[in-house]
Amino acid sequence: MSVQVIADDAEALAVAAALAAEFRAGASSRDAERRLPRAELDKLSASGLLAVTVPAEHGGADVGALTLAEIFRLLATADASLAQIPQSHFAYVNVIRRQGDAEQQKFFFAELLAGRRLGNAQSEAGTKHVQDIRTRLQPRPDGSYVLNGVKHYCTGALFADWIPVLARAVDDHLHVAYVPRDAPGLTVIDDWDGLGQRTTASGTVRLEGVPVPADRVLPHHLTFEGPQLHGAVAQLLHAAIDTGIACGALAEAAEFVRTKSRPWFESGAETAAEDPLLIQQFGELALRVRASEALLREAAHAVDAARADLTDDSAAEASIAVAAARVQAASAAVDVASALFEVAGTRSALNSLNLHRHWRDARTHTLHDPARWKIQHIGRHVLNGARPPRHGLL
């Protein structure tokens, strides 16, 4: 694969906009047919976008959070499933940046610049809670390890070159093992049957005696022992996806009303787009979307500011700003995607048009982690000055 190396933020945004326009054309049919986007992901790899956070000293563009969030927003306006797939990719690039030693960084950053994709094997089902990780990393006499466990919701794993696996070592500390997709004992099962984000292939990963060299294991627990942006960056990308879904739903609703909807007879309008009540509703929906976009930008600026001067306080401010953006974006995505049907009219509910994919994607993606706890942490910060916890989900 011939892979472009992106030079700076401006080029990254231009490439993302061009790819979003291309991916939008087939998004509805891919969703309706559950046709997995292998060709599209290969184009994403070849574009160089998956390497834009590689540090400059390793040959990357090292773009900021503002640019990265906008890349995800653009992609999600076109295809929310496709935008979701690389979210974990960038989260685990950040682990390499923070916890990788010089040789690990040299190796993996070269892999990224060559277009390699990271998946994820993080969440587990049937455990007490989301941080009850039972996958184990057992040491061997030669210093290497063996992985055993079962992971669920493994977005990107089916399409990955490397699968980062979250596991506990014998000391119960969290580590990330970077495992090749074709490693012996590793099986990726395409059993995802979510009502939305149908083409993310977020299925199951089974790990049965998977061998892992020592230099492919990173001490992720150290990430949370000081001020960190791991959770803020990961959640920022989720907020960007939700914002993109809201943007895409609003744009498709407007196009439908302009070209297909009929005016209500009592309005006296010649076209639906001239109906004053519809105009009012679109104005209100646009405010929801604009608020989401503004909070997303504010959160990204806070992350970039914290990255330039990382302290307990700057990290806390970034996490709170991202939490606010995520709450707003999640609400807007679900509400705007639902309102699409109200403003567009009866015909918009036809299954053949597949306009419901926006709501299905929003409703599915916003379940990733609960907004109610983000509001709790925002309130505690405002009222009592409490810093949010360092658990990677805020």
Side-chain angles (χ1 to χ4, degrees):
M1 179 190 299
S2 176
V3 178
Q4 178 180 352
V5 177
I6 290 176
D8 53 30
D9 294 67
E11 185 180 4
L13 292 175
V15 170
L19 281 179
E22 182 178 349
F23 294 159
R24 182 175 291 108
S28 180
S29 62
R30 283 193 297 272
D31 173 88
E33 300 165 12
R34 199 178 179 272
R35 179 161 37 87
L36 300 181
R38 297 181 186 276
E40 289 76 14
L41 283 170
D42 284 344
K43 289 181 179 179
L44 188 62
S45 288
S47 75
L49 280 181
L50 296 182
V52 293
T53 59
V54 170
E57 60 268 28
H58 288 273
D62 201 8
V63 305
L66 184 64
T67 294
L68 190 61
E70 180 62 5
I71 289 170
F72 272 78
R73 189 196 68 83
L74 287 167
L75 293 175
T77 62
D79 186 336
S81 286
L82 195 51
Q84 177 63 39
I85 292 170
Q87 189 273 340
S88 292
H89 169 96
F90 284 99
Y92 284 104
V93 172
N94 279 346
V95 175
I96 297 168
R97 287 186 62 137
R98 187 169 174 99
Q99 300 303 337
D101 63 28
E103 287 303 312
Q104 288 169 328
Q105 290 184 357
K106 180 180 178 181
F107 174 80
F108 279 111
F109 291 151
E111 287 285 281
L112 296 173
L113 289 168
R116 307 286 189 267
R117 295 191 289 266
L118 305 182
N120 96 87
Q122 177 170 295
S123 294
E124 299 180 13
T127 57
K128 184 176 180 180
H129 51 70
V130 71
Q131 293 201 326
D132 180 14
I133 302 297
R134 298 180 184 178
T135 298
R136 293 291 154 176
L137 193 63
Q138 298 290 342
R140 300 205 300 191
D142 64 359
S144 66
Y145 298 90
V146 173
L147 267 175
N148 287 284
V150 180
K151 297 288 188 175
H152 297 269
Y153 312 117
C154 300
T155 303
L158 190 68
F159 314 109
D161 298 290
W162 292 89
I163 300 178
V165 180
L166 194 62
R168 293 195 183 276
V170 291
D171 57 8
D172 214 37
H173 286 153
L174 279 177
H175 291 70
V176 177
Y178 289 74
V179 182
R181 168 69 176 80
D182 59 357
L186 187 153
T187 306
V188 181
I189 305 167
D190 180 19
D191 56 0
W192 171 242
D193 66 347
L195 65 88
Q197 294 199 303
R198 290 176 171 175
T199 60
T200 59
S202 302
T204 301
V205 169
R206 295 188 179 277
L207 305 146
E208 299 172 314
V210 178
V212 185
D215 61 357
R216 297 294 179 261
V217 177
L218 279 68
H220 191 34
H221 62 98
L222 297 179
T223 299
F224 307 104
E225 292 188 359
Q228 51 82 35
L229 297 171
H230 179 82
V233 172
Q235 288 289 314
L236 181 72
L237 302 187
H238 283 306
I241 292 168
D242 288 338
T243 301
I245 293 172
C247 292
L250 183 62
E252 190 147 10
E255 177 65 16
F256 194 93
V257 169
R258 283 193 297 265
T259 60
K260 296 181 177 66
S261 296
R262 298 183 297 179
W264 184 244
F265 70 95
E266 292 178 284
S267 71
E270 287 296 315
T271 67
E274 297 171 301
D275 182 331
L277 296 183
L278 280 180
I279 289 171
Q280 177 73 19
Q281 282 187 283
F282 270 97
E284 292 170 353
L285 293 174
L287 287 175
R288 299 285 301 278
V289 172
R290 282 175 174 262
S292 299
E293 292 174 323
L295 284 174
L296 181 67
R297 288 192 296 270
E298 179 182 292
H301 280 302
V303 171
D304 281 331
R307 180 181 171 189
D309 182 19
L310 187 59
T311 65
D312 284 330
D313 287 337
S314 66
E317 288 298 328
S319 288
I320 293 298
V322 170
R326 183 77 199 285
V327 171
Q328 167 65 26
S331 174
V334 172
D335 291 349
V336 173
S338 177
L340 181 156
F341 302 100
E342 182 181 349
V343 296
T346 306
R347 187 183 173 191
S348 65
L350 292 176
N351 192 56
S352 59
L353 296 176
N354 200 25
L355 294 176
H356 48 71
R357 74 185 185 280
H358 299 292
W359 183 87
R360 290 187 289 100
D361 285 341
R363 184 64 283 174
T364 301
H365 181 254
T366 54
L367 297 175
H368 183 275
D369 53 283
R372 59 187 178 272
W373 276 99
K374 300 182 191 306
I375 296 171
Q376 281 283 310
H377 292 305
I378 293 169
R380 291 170 184 174
H381 184 70
V382 171
L383 189 59
N384 300 315
R387 296 188 186 113
R390 299 170 180 163
H391 53 44
L393 287 169
L394 197 69

